[in-house]
Amino acid sequence: MGRNVHDLGNGLFAYIQEDGSWGWSNSGLITSNGESLLVDTLFNGPLTRDMLAAYRRATPDAAHIATLVNTHANGDHTFGNHVIKGARIIGTTACRDEMNERPAPAFATMMDNWRDAGEAGAFLHEVMGSRFDFSDVGHVTPDVLFDGFHALDVGGLRVELHEMGPAHTMGDAVVFVPELKTVFTGDILFSGGHPILWAGPLDNWLKACDAILGWDVDVVVPGHGPVGDKAAVHQLRDYLAYVQDAATQRYEAGLGWAEAAWDIGMEAYDSWLDRERVVANVANVYTTLSKGAVAPTRPEILTMMCRYRGRMPSPDMACPACGGAH
C-alpha cells in the first residue's frame, strides 16, 4: 500500500492513499488550459503537502491551485485546507457549519487526551490517533457556499457540484465532470470498506447512489479506496440496502440497536475493511425508524464500535483493549 497519483486522462488526476481505512482518504485534481481545481485536502499539513508535491510532479498545472472543493466536513478531507494558500474554497453551507461544530484544533486536543474518554477514546486512538500526527492541522472553512447545485468553469471545462447530503455527513457533495464522464464522490462512496452513517438518513444515501448510477459516468473516484467505475457504486448501494433491511427487521422484532448490530450477519462483506462501522449504521437506521426516540450519542456509538472491533461476544461486555490497541 502507498500514496500514489493516478492519471485518469484528459487533465484529471486522483491521489489514492493506502488501503482507504480510517483517515486514509483520497483527493482529486481537475486541470484544463492551465487552470486547476483540487477536490479535498488530507488529514494534516504534511500529508497534504506530500499530495501537492506528487500532483506537481504529474502536471505543471498543479503549481497553483485556484479552487478547492471540500466534499464534506470530515477532517481527513479538510484538515489540510490551510496548506492551499490563496485558493477560493467551495463547499455546501452544511459542510461549513459542520466544520465549525468540530474544528480541527478541538479534534487534535481530543486525540491528545484520548485516555480521558474511555472506550470511545481508545477506539479513536487505535484507528486514527496512533496513525496520524495532528500537530499541524488547520481550521479553514469554505468561503464560497452553495446549496443543492453549483456549476463552475475550470479552463473551459464544466464542473458540476451536486449536494447529496445529509447522508454520510450533513453536507456531502460530489464533483462531476460530465464531458469527461468522471465523478469525484467524496465519502458518498467507500470502495472496499464499510461506509459509515454519521448523519443520514440512509434513504438519502441510497438516493445519492441512484443519482450517480443515472449519470453517464465511466470513472468513479471514491473518498476512500481504489479508483473504479459504477460497479463500486452498485456494491455500496447493495450494502446500504442490506443493512437497512436487516436493521429494520430487528427493530420490528424488538431488539435494541447494539444487539441488532451484533446480530446482523456481515459474511458477504468479510473482505471489506472496518466492519465495526455497521454499529453506527444500525444506530442511524434505529434513530430514523424511531423518529428520534432511539438516538445513541456519538460517544456511545464509538464505544460500541470499540467492542465490536474487539470482537466482544455481546455489546454488554466492555472491551479489554481500553488501555491500548486491540
Side-chain angles (χ1 to χ4, degrees), residues 31-281:
T31 67
S32 178
N33 294 319
E35 297 185 14
S36 61
L37 180 151
L38 180 68
V39 181
D40 286 334
T41 58
L42 304 179
F43 221 170
N44 59 29
L47 288 172
T48 301
R49 293 184 187 96
D50 288 347
M51 174 261 290
L52 289 175
Y55 279 140
R56 288 165 185 156
R57 290 191 294 270
T59 173
D61 288 342
H64 174 69
I65 304 297
T67 303
L68 166 64
V69 174
N70 285 144
T71 60
H72 63 291
N74 283 358
D76 53 344
H77 297 258
T78 62
F79 281 2
N81 282 6
H82 63 295
V83 173
I84 315 300
K85 305 297 185 183
R88 61 172 176 166
I89 305 177
I90 304 176
T92 64
T93 302
C95 170
R96 188 274 314 271
D97 293 347
E98 197 166 12
M99 286 179 70
N100 284 332
E101 290 173 6
R102 298 183 179 88
F107 182 88
T109 298
M110 177 183 69
M111 298 304 282
D112 285 342
N113 300 318
W114 63 271
R115 291 180 179 84
D116 298 335
E119 290 174 85
F123 175 75
L124 287 176
H125 174 71
E126 179 186 344
V127 299
M128 290 186 288
S130 63
R131 303 177 184 180
F132 298 95
D133 178 4
F134 297 109
S135 62
D136 180 4
V137 296
H139 181 62
V140 179
T141 62
D143 49 19
V144 178
L145 304 177
F146 77 96
D147 300 293
F149 175 82
H150 181 71
L152 59 156
D153 181 282
V154 179
L157 185 66
R158 180 179 172 87
V159 176
E160 298 180 356
L161 311 182
H162 295 259
E163 185 172 18
M164 299 293 191
H168 168 63
T169 65
M170 292 303 296
D172 302 299
V174 303
V175 181
F176 181 33
V177 188
E179 181 181 333
L180 301 179
K181 300 182 180 182
T182 300
V183 62
F184 299 86
T185 67
D187 284 2
I188 285 297
L189 176 61
F190 290 73
S191 183
H194 289 250
I196 186 164
L197 271 157
W198 287 127
L202 192 148
D203 276 341
N204 279 1
W205 205 331
L206 291 171
K207 292 175 184 176
C209 291
D210 290 339
I212 295 170
L213 291 171
W215 295 342
D216 187 7
V217 169
D218 291 335
V219 179
V220 179
V221 180
H224 295 259
V227 175
D229 53 26
K230 282 186 178 180
V233 183
H234 276 292
Q235 290 168 3
L236 182 74
R237 193 195 189 287
D238 288 346
Y239 171 97
L240 293 171
Y242 169 70
V243 170
Q244 185 176 53
D245 290 345
T248 299
Q249 291 171 12
R250 286 157 180 79
Y251 175 83
E252 292 174 348
L255 272 68
W257 68 273
E259 185 183 3
W262 259 254
D263 190 61
I264 294 173
M266 300 302 296
E267 292 78 9
Y269 301 96
D270 274 348
S271 65
W272 287 23
L273 300 170
D274 308 319
R275 177 170 166 166
E276 65 274 4
R277 291 173 178 168
V278 68
V279 173
N281 299 336

